[in-house]
Amino acid sequence: MTVLSGVVPPVVTPLTENFEVDYPSLTRVIENLLDGGVHGLFVLGSSGEVVFHDDASRARIIEHTMKVAGGRVPVLAGTIDPATERTIANARVAQSAGVDAVVVTAPFYARTSQAEVGDHFRYVRDALDVPVIAYDIPVCVNIKIERKTTVTLAREGVIAGLKDSSGDDGNFRFCLLDLADKPDFFLMTGSEIVVDNALQMGAHGVVPGLANVDPHGYVRLWNHAKAGNWEAARKEQERLCRLFEMVWVSLPRTSPGAAGVGSFKTAMQQLGIIETNLMARPQRRIEGAEVARIGELVRAAGLGA
Amino acid sequence: MTVLSGVVPPVVTPLTENFEVDYPSLTRVIENLLDGGVHGLFVLGSSGEVVFHDDASRARIIEHTMKVAGGRVPVLAGTIDPATERTIANARVAQSAGVDAVVVTAPFYARTSQAEVGDHFRYVRDALDVPVIAYDIPVCVNIKIERKTTVTLAREGVIAGLKDSSGDDGNFRFCLLDLADKPDFFLMTGSEIVVDNALQMGAHGVVPGLANVDPHGYVRLWNHAKAGNWEAARKEQERLCRLFEMVWVSLPRTSPGAAGVGSFKTAMQQLGIIETNLMARPQRRIEGAEVARIGELVRAAGLGA
Amino acid sequence: MTVLSGVVPPVVTPLTENFEVDYPSLTRVIENLLDGGVHGLFVLGSSGEVVFHDDASRARIIEHTMKVAGGRVPVLAGTIDPATERTIANARVAQSAGVDAVVVTAPFYARTSQAEVGDHFRYVRDALDVPVIAYDIPVCVNIKIERKTTVTLAREGVIAGLKDSSGDDGNFRFCLLDLADKPDFFLMTGSEIVVDNALQMGAHGVVPGLANVDPHGYVRLWNHAKAGNWEAARKEQERLCRLFEMVWVSLPRTSPGAAGVGSFKTAMQQLGIIETNLMARPQRRIEGAEVARIGELVRAAGLGA
Amino acid sequence: MTVLSGVVPPVVTPLTENFEVDYPSLTRVIENLLDGGVHGLFVLGSSGEVVFHDDASRARIIEHTMKVAGGRVPVLAGTIDPATERTIANARVAQSAGVDAVVVTAPFYARTSQAEVGDHFRYVRDALDVPVIAYDIPVCVNIKIERKTTVTLAREGVIAGLKDSSGDDGNFRFCLLDLADKPDFFLMTGSEIVVDNALQMGAHGVVPGLANVDPHGYVRLWNHAKAGNWEAARKEQERLCRLFEMVWVSLPRTSPGAAGVGSFKTAMQQLGIIETNLMARPQRRIEGAEVARIGELVRAAGLGA
């Protein structure tokens, strides 16, 4: 497997005003990230609105991403479905497209047990030739992938990494400690706002949605951390925290989902990267004074002209 | 729209040992329900393991159900997907197959707001010619369809009914009161164990998964209630409560999902209705002493030879 | 032990404008309940704002209640404290005052296990000569007293009854079924809005806070149920449901606690029963248009002049 | 106000086999902490089992602590009660005993709103002459003190600091950023396992229960951080993380509370600091193989002979 490390943003999926994937904008999103120096791409994650896209659309998005990336960095693809068989089917499509790894959550909608979550990953892994990265996001799937499950699956060779979007930094640290003897196991944080901390703990990678807006910032943060310059890392992180405040601007008029990714899209539109800030239905669109406020945050962070 | 009322069980989806839909068994499931006197069928609900099936499999299950039902009772189909567009696509397939209504949950995985949930139903309704029934199941989708949302959507003509699997009986009662002037709005409880109460409140229908095991029992309960014979209704309900204890037999070895629908399948297998008690992956199978215990509960309820 | 059954309202604790207990008003609250025909009194429950009062104040409230009740009906006292020893100390005070039973929750603030909850009741019971009633209110104490715990403690003779304010009507029904052979075990619902259902299930008593506003209504409901007149019970319950809408009037300006008991106090003030609608600090007071709206609901329910 | 910073452990309250406070042991606990070089003491926090002690016992514990501390370091006292008036009463006792600050949670048991939480702190502050530190511990009190509430109360001068035991490190960081212009506002983390991260963010203090077992470790960690030696801080933190594993040893036989503080007491007993590992009732005691396992962790961390 390609060794993964560094800044691996979850790629936002831009839409046209007709709610179709806007591929020219998607190209610009990816080029903007690569210009920023990111070390990998994670397409069809939560920030990519994966569950809003059907199988055909997902396949096209992966293909397009692979073509634009052109081997410059590794590409991970989210294959996020409620249960095992549908996950395998989508993961095979991603594998055929040549992705470097698939990223898989615990099952959702139906309530599964921790043991069944483990089996889910085993079944998926058995059906594929591509590495599987576990995606721990209890706020979406209603179950945490427990430390013991992560470590067991890692030692069995079932999963090649973990993307931790649980917000449980202590648990993440124990996973790092438990798997310190497996340096090829890829432990990534999904946080935007405690990335310096995660790197100080020893995280191998970071997957910040906000990097769609400011990839240079997260790459600088990564480089400061690699150089052991923790004070500079903290300053960069604090600037990014202030930028991150955009995710609360449209609450509670919109949902947290629409407020978060929608604010990234709004900022990216203002920066000329994408055409619209539209979110897939039924998510409400950020508008009016919210847009203006996000613009202020973008400029305050030193972005834009 | 067909006027809906009465016992409308969520049809279990039997599997072969190869994890394929077992259509001969599905035929027997449906015939057993119709023999029991049920007033409608709800295919591809949570008890039908809907999210475990891909679009093609769902279409076949609906087609098969329509063919077996043959117009003897109305058929409702669950079109349960994380977001709007995929829900519409599946609902159109169900509509083409001739179902009497589609049953739709709030979006899931992505977190949506109450306003966005309302829009979701509006978008779905606009795209269809078939009635839409809202399915309130927060334990699976992480958001409750609030009373105000239900009543607003009912008055707008967006939804034709509500299947309440939230367990919030007080809220259900207020929906009944608020919509007392709309007798064609179909309010159903998803409970197995307080059905007599729901009917006493004025519920129009009941959707008990356990009716797959004992349809006669729920039809008797319905008939007692219609006759105002509440003491007999209570006795029947209490017998069914004792039978319902099967859903806890395999906990915590299996998940609640596998324990619940899995116990229905186990009982149905023992009653000769279906071939296997297999659940879709990654749900663990009920086995050994658990199977024996479920058999005891079945016989104690007066079922079987 | 006195056999308990019937309508046993949780007595509201009126305050003066100086945040002191208003004993003349408390006398009127109790007399109003007894005039309404209630079968018992539950003082210092959640509706009595028990945790807002210190030990000395609690002792005085109990004494006053005992004096006013004068043996006309049984009196239960809530002895609700975070842990075992303090519960015992307060329960002994209540016992000395001659209450018929004490009502005890699971421990709170500190997280305890189900086994420790069981031990808590055992320790409390061992220290007393008065019956102990378990109070299941997970919304306040963060842990449910599980069915198995309730039944075990009942069979051990540790608890003499259960007040169920969990909202889990199915679980309540199973407790009723499991303990059907112990008719002296007192199973009460804390609901205001599904009381007819609880009685249909076989509940021995009801503890509705709203009975402070309309005791006659709940007594009529009880009498209809005892007579097997379920249709009349339902009608009475529906009228009371409409009255109950007062508990949402001041949301979200106030907390749910202040909105609920505060609305009862507001209505009672309008009915001339108490002097102020003040809640203990830091709960905000219902005011302005909220007061007017509650007055409308009171009059719509046929109360007042 | 005394400027607070550094390692301020929550002092464990040792018990005799008769469930009385063991004052000679408490003296040793405090001396052990001071020998370890801690910068302050927090008595009657959650780790001190505050809610298990009645008012008289709390007063004695504070007095004893003040006497033993003898002015060598500042002393904070938890005055943790369900509502405003009782909090004020206990806080006045602590104030009279000469504590440097009182530590106050949001109200609990009764559900309050964010606005009412703010008022609670305002009322408490108005009644005292001693600084008030807000204690954010939603797992115990069921409500988070939101960032906006914290910042507003800080700017109003109502609270002098925040002890964050919410586990929400991102929110803690935003509080640090928002209040960066108020260096006298004391922001402390309650974490044991991400203390290096909190200090990297700029936290002014740390309140780790585990420091009762290994005060030297946390003081070394603090000193490394102050020196900007983050790699050494990380190594020390990782050693402490391994020691922290003791808190899971007795789960699920005991509750999380009994497992956590109980493991600290078990280790302290083995280190000769206290006489028993007893917890206040109804918490179950750590015993048998659990004790042995904790001993292994203690020795593996380099503690003991």
Side-chain angles (χ1 to χ4, degrees):
Chain A
M1 177 188 175
T2 311
V3 176
L4 287 170
S5 75
V7 180
V8 185
V11 182
V12 159
T13 308
L15 299 179
T16 69
E17 288 291 342
N18 295 323
F19 293 97
E20 290 167 352
V21 177
D22 176 355
Y23 286 101
S25 285
L26 179 54
T27 299
R28 285 194 299 274
V29 171
I30 295 168
E31 291 294 354
N32 183 57
L33 290 169
L34 294 175
D35 281 355
V38 304
H39 309 92
L41 298 170
F42 170 36
V43 70
L44 290 174
S46 305
S47 295
E49 298 176 73
V50 55
V51 299
F52 294 86
H53 292 281
D54 63 18
D55 298 349
S57 177
R58 293 189 196 187
R60 279 197 66 197
I61 291 167
I62 292 173
E63 268 176 53
H64 187 85
T65 302
M66 294 305 292
K67 194 175 63 186
V68 176
R72 288 181 280 177
V73 295
V75 175
L76 284 58
T79 56
I80 294 172
D81 278 291
T84 303
E85 311 308 336
R86 292 168 71 191
T87 302
I88 289 172
N90 273 315
R92 283 182 171 149
V93 171
Q95 174 177 295
S96 297
V99 302
D100 293 271
V102 293
V103 182
V104 173
T105 65
F108 52 96
Y109 187 86
R111 289 171 291 163
T112 48
S113 65
Q114 200 65 210
E116 290 168 349
V117 169
D119 287 349
H120 175 64
F121 284 103
R122 290 182 189 100
Y123 297 143
V124 171
R125 181 68 189 86
D126 283 348
L128 299 177
D129 295 318
V130 74
V132 174
I133 292 174
Y135 187 175
D136 186 28
I137 187 159
V139 75
C140 290
V141 302
N142 252 344
I143 187 167
K144 175 151 182 73
I145 305 175
E146 293 176 3
R147 170 187 171 189
K148 191 176 167 185
T149 302
T150 298
V151 174
T152 300
L153 294 174
R155 296 221 173 276
E156 290 179 8
V158 169
I159 57 174
L162 174 76
K163 174 185 186 308
D164 181 6
S165 295
S166 73
D168 186 343
D169 301 328
N171 186 76
F172 183 67
R173 171 162 240 160
F174 277 106
C175 290
L176 281 164
L177 288 174
D178 289 352
L179 294 168
D181 61 334
K182 279 182 70 76
D184 57 326
F185 188 82
F186 186 52
L187 279 149
M188 310 184 277
T189 178
S191 176
E192 270 99 357
I193 57 179
V194 292
V195 171
D196 54 343
N197 294 152
L199 296 176
Q200 189 192 18
M201 284 182 192
H204 313 298
V206 300
V207 191
L210 185 62
N212 284 281
V213 179
D214 189 2
H216 291 90
Y218 282 100
V219 171
R220 279 194 299 270
L221 171 48
W222 171 263
N223 289 334
H224 289 317
K226 288 294 105 177
N229 192 345
W230 295 108
E231 183 60 17
R234 180 167 75 89
K235 290 290 182 199
E236 187 65 43
Q237 176 66 85
E238 289 178 358
R239 190 186 60 81
L240 291 163
C241 283
R242 287 306 184 193
L243 183 62
F244 186 73
E245 304 241 26
M246 68 174 64
V247 306
W248 298 305
V249 166
S250 67
L251 291 177
R253 196 187 59 78
T254 73
S255 59
V261 178
S263 72
F264 301 158
K265 285 189 166 179
T266 301
M268 293 163 80
Q269 184 185 26
Q270 296 188 10
L271 293 169
I273 304 168
I274 63 178
E275 292 292 328
T276 82
N277 70 345
L278 209 63
M279 301 283 288
R281 298 199 299 178
Q283 296 171 102
R284 292 197 167 179
R285 186 179 204 157
I286 291 177
E287 61 193 17
E290 298 159 356
V291 172
R293 174 65 187 137
I294 290 169
E296 289 169 15
L297 290 167
V298 166
R299 287 187 296 276
L303 303 179
Chain B
M1 178 188 176
T2 311
V3 176
L4 286 169
S5 76
V7 180
V8 185
V11 181
V12 160
T13 308
L15 298 179
T16 68
E17 288 291 343
N18 295 323
F19 293 96
E20 289 166 352
V21 178
D22 176 355
Y23 286 101
S25 286
L26 179 54
T27 299
R28 283 194 299 274
V29 171
I30 296 168
E31 291 294 354
N32 184 56
L33 290 169
L34 295 174
D35 281 356
V38 304
H39 309 91
L41 298 170
F42 171 36
V43 70
L44 289 175
S46 305
S47 296
E49 298 175 72
V50 57
V51 298
F52 294 88
H53 292 281
D54 64 18
D55 297 350
S57 177
R58 294 188 195 188
R60 279 197 66 197
I61 291 166
I62 293 174
E63 269 176 53
H64 186 86
T65 302
M66 294 304 293
K67 194 176 64 185
V68 176
R72 289 181 280 177
V73 295
V75 175
L76 285 58
T79 56
I80 294 171
D81 277 291
T84 303
E85 311 309 334
R86 293 167 70 191
T87 302
I88 289 172
N90 273 315
R92 284 182 171 149
V93 171
Q95 175 177 294
S96 297
V99 302
D100 293 270
V102 292
V103 183
V104 173
T105 66
F108 51 95
Y109 186 87
R111 288 170 292 164
T112 48
S113 66
Q114 200 64 212
E116 290 168 347
V117 169
D119 287 348
H120 174 65
F121 284 104
R122 290 181 188 100
Y123 297 142
V124 171
R125 181 68 189 86
D126 283 348
L128 300 177
D129 294 318
V130 73
V132 174
I133 293 174
Y135 186 175
D136 186 28
I137 187 160
V139 75
C140 290
V141 303
N142 253 343
I143 188 168
K144 174 152 183 73
I145 305 174
E146 293 175 3
R147 169 187 172 190
K148 192 177 167 182
T149 303
T150 299
V151 174
T152 300
L153 293 174
R155 297 221 173 274
E156 289 179 7
V158 169
I159 57 174
L162 174 75
K163 174 186 188 305
D164 182 5
S165 294
S166 73
D168 186 342
D169 301 329
N171 185 76
F172 183 67
R173 172 163 241 160
F174 277 105
C175 290
L176 281 163
L177 289 173
D178 289 353
L179 294 167
D181 62 334
K182 280 182 69 76
D184 57 326
F185 188 82
F186 186 52
L187 280 148
M188 310 184 277
T189 178
S191 176
E192 271 99 356
I193 57 179
V194 292
V195 171
D196 54 342
N197 294 152
L199 295 176
Q200 189 192 18
M201 285 182 192
H204 312 298
V206 300
V207 190
L210 185 62
N212 284 282
V213 178
D214 189 2
H216 290 90
Y218 282 99
V219 171
R220 278 194 300 269
L221 171 48
W222 171 263
N223 289 334
H224 289 317
K226 289 293 105 176
N229 191 346
W230 294 109
E231 182 60 18
R234 180 167 75 90
K235 291 289 182 198
E236 187 66 42
Q237 177 65 86
E238 289 178 359
R239 190 186 60 81
L240 290 163
C241 283
R242 286 307 184 191
L243 183 61
F244 185 73
E245 305 241 25
M246 69 174 63
V247 306
W248 297 306
V249 165
S250 67
L251 290 176
R253 197 186 58 79
T254 73
S255 59
V261 178
S263 71
F264 301 158
K265 285 189 165 179
T266 300
M268 293 163 80
Q269 184 186 26
Q270 296 187 11
L271 293 169
I273 304 167
I274 63 178
E275 293 291 329
T276 82
N277 70 344
L278 209 62
M279 301 282 288
R281 298 197 301 176
Q283 297 170 102
R284 291 198 167 180
R285 186 180 205 157
I286 290 177
E287 60 193 17
E290 297 158 356
V291 172
R293 175 66 187 136
I294 291 170
E296 289 169 15
L297 290 167
V298 167
R299 286 187 297 276
L303 303 179
Chain C
M1 177 190 174
T2 312
V3 175
L4 286 169
S5 75
V7 180
V8 185
V11 181
V12 160
T13 308
L15 299 180
T16 68
E17 287 291 342
N18 295 324
F19 293 96
E20 290 166 351
V21 177
D22 176 355
Y23 286 100
S25 285
L26 179 54
T27 300
R28 285 194 298 274
V29 171
I30 295 168
E31 292 294 354
N32 183 56
L33 290 170
L34 294 174
D35 281 356
V38 304
H39 309 92
L41 298 170
F42 170 37
V43 69
L44 289 175
S46 305
S47 295
E49 299 175 72
V50 56
V51 298
F52 295 87
H53 292 279
D54 64 18
D55 297 350
S57 177
R58 294 188 195 188
R60 279 197 66 197
I61 291 167
I62 293 173
E63 270 176 52
H64 187 86
T65 302
M66 294 305 293
K67 195 176 62 185
V68 176
R72 289 180 281 177
V73 296
V75 174
L76 284 58
T79 56
I80 294 173
D81 277 292
T84 302
E85 311 309 335
R86 293 168 70 192
T87 303
I88 289 172
N90 273 316
R92 283 181 172 150
V93 172
Q95 174 177 294
S96 297
V99 302
D100 294 270
V102 293
V103 183
V104 173
T105 66
F108 52 95
Y109 187 86
R111 288 169 293 163
T112 48
S113 65
Q114 200 65 212
E116 289 168 348
V117 169
D119 287 349
H120 175 64
F121 284 104
R122 289 182 189 99
Y123 296 143
V124 171
R125 181 68 190 86
D126 283 348
L128 300 177
D129 293 318
V130 72
V132 175
I133 293 175
Y135 187 175
D136 186 27
I137 187 161
V139 75
C140 290
V141 302
N142 252 343
I143 188 169
K144 175 153 183 72
I145 305 174
E146 292 175 3
R147 169 186 173 190
K148 191 177 169 183
T149 302
T150 299
V151 174
T152 300
L153 294 173
R155 297 221 172 274
E156 290 179 8
V158 170
I159 57 174
L162 174 76
K163 174 185 186 309
D164 181 6
S165 294
S166 73
D168 186 344
D169 302 327
N171 185 76
F172 183 68
R173 172 162 242 163
F174 277 105
C175 290
L176 282 163
L177 289 173
D178 289 352
L179 295 167
D181 61 335
K182 278 183 70 74
D184 56 325
F185 187 82
F186 186 51
L187 280 148
M188 310 184 277
T189 177
S191 177
E192 271 99 356
I193 56 179
V194 291
V195 171
D196 54 342
N197 295 151
L199 295 176
Q200 189 192 18
M201 284 182 193
H204 312 297
V206 299
V207 191
L210 185 61
N212 284 282
V213 179
D214 189 3
H216 290 90
Y218 283 100
V219 171
R220 278 195 300 270
L221 171 47
W222 170 263
N223 289 335
H224 289 316
K226 289 292 104 175
N229 192 346
W230 295 109
E231 183 60 17
R234 181 167 75 90
K235 291 288 183 200
E236 187 66 42
Q237 176 64 85
E238 289 178 0
R239 189 186 61 80
L240 290 162
C241 284
R242 286 306 183 193
L243 182 61
F244 186 73
E245 305 241 24
M246 69 173 62
V247 305
W248 298 305
V249 165
S250 67
L251 290 177
R253 196 187 59 80
T254 73
S255 60
V261 178
S263 71
F264 301 158
K265 285 189 166 180
T266 301
M268 294 163 80
Q269 185 186 26
Q270 297 189 10
L271 293 169
I273 305 168
I274 63 178
E275 292 293 329
T276 81
N277 70 346
L278 210 61
M279 301 283 289
R281 297 197 302 176
Q283 297 171 101
R284 293 198 166 180
R285 187 179 204 156
I286 290 177
E287 61 192 18
E290 298 159 356
V291 172
R293 174 66 187 137
I294 290 170
E296 290 170 14
L297 290 167
V298 167
R299 288 186 296 276
L303 304 179
Chain D
M1 176 189 176
T2 311
V3 175
L4 286 168
S5 74
V7 179
V8 185
V11 181
V12 159
T13 308
L15 300 180
T16 68
E17 288 291 343
N18 295 324
F19 293 96
E20 290 166 352
V21 178
D22 176 355
Y23 286 101
S25 286
L26 180 54
T27 299
R28 284 194 298 275
V29 171
I30 295 168
E31 291 294 355
N32 183 57
L33 290 169
L34 294 174
D35 281 355
V38 304
H39 309 92
L41 298 170
F42 170 35
V43 69
L44 290 175
S46 305
S47 296
E49 299 176 71
V50 57
V51 298
F52 294 87
H53 292 280
D54 63 18
D55 297 350
S57 177
R58 293 188 195 188
R60 279 198 65 199
I61 291 167
I62 292 173
E63 270 177 51
H64 186 85
T65 302
M66 293 305 292
K67 195 176 62 186
V68 176
R72 289 181 280 178
V73 296
V75 175
L76 284 60
T79 56
I80 294 171
D81 277 291
T84 302
E85 311 309 334
R86 292 168 70 192
T87 302
I88 289 172
N90 273 315
R92 282 181 172 151
V93 172
Q95 174 177 293
S96 297
V99 302
D100 294 271
V102 293
V103 183
V104 173
T105 65
F108 51 95
Y109 186 85
R111 288 169 292 164
T112 48
S113 67
Q114 200 64 212
E116 290 168 348
V117 169
D119 286 350
H120 175 64
F121 284 104
R122 289 182 189 99
Y123 297 142
V124 171
R125 182 69 189 86
D126 283 349
L128 301 177
D129 295 318
V130 74
V132 175
I133 292 175
Y135 187 175
D136 186 27
I137 186 162
V139 75
C140 290
V141 302
N142 252 344
I143 188 168
K144 174 152 184 74
I145 305 174
E146 292 176 4
R147 169 186 171 189
K148 191 177 168 184
T149 303
T150 299
V151 174
T152 300
L153 294 173
R155 297 221 172 275
E156 289 179 7
V158 170
I159 57 174
L162 174 76
K163 174 185 186 308
D164 182 6
S165 295
S166 74
D168 186 343
D169 302 327
N171 185 76
F172 183 67
R173 172 163 240 160
F174 277 105
C175 290
L176 281 163
L177 290 174
D178 289 352
L179 295 166
D181 62 334
K182 278 182 71 73
D184 57 325
F185 188 81
F186 186 51
L187 280 148
M188 309 183 278
T189 178
S191 176
E192 272 99 354
I193 57 179
V194 292
V195 171
D196 54 342
N197 295 151
L199 295 176
Q200 190 192 17
M201 284 182 192
H204 312 298
V206 299
V207 190
L210 185 62
N212 284 280
V213 179
D214 189 3
H216 291 90
Y218 282 100
V219 171
R220 279 195 299 269
L221 172 48
W222 170 264
N223 289 335
H224 288 317
K226 288 294 103 175
N229 192 345
W230 296 108
E231 182 61 17
R234 181 167 75 88
K235 291 288 181 200
E236 188 64 45
Q237 177 65 85
E238 289 178 359
R239 190 186 61 80
L240 290 163
C241 284
R242 286 308 183 190
L243 183 62
F244 186 72
E245 305 241 24
M246 68 174 63
V247 306
W248 298 305
V249 165
S250 67
L251 291 178
R253 196 186 60 80
T254 73
S255 59
V261 178
S263 70
F264 302 158
K265 285 189 166 181
T266 301
M268 293 163 81
Q269 185 185 25
Q270 297 188 10
L271 293 169
I273 304 167
I274 63 178
E275 293 292 328
T276 81
N277 70 345
L278 210 62
M279 300 282 289
R281 298 197 300 177
Q283 297 170 101
R284 293 197 166 179
R285 186 179 204 156
I286 291 177
E287 60 192 19
E290 298 159 357
V291 172
R293 175 65 188 138
I294 290 170
E296 290 170 14
L297 290 167
V298 167
R299 288 187 296 277
L303 303 178

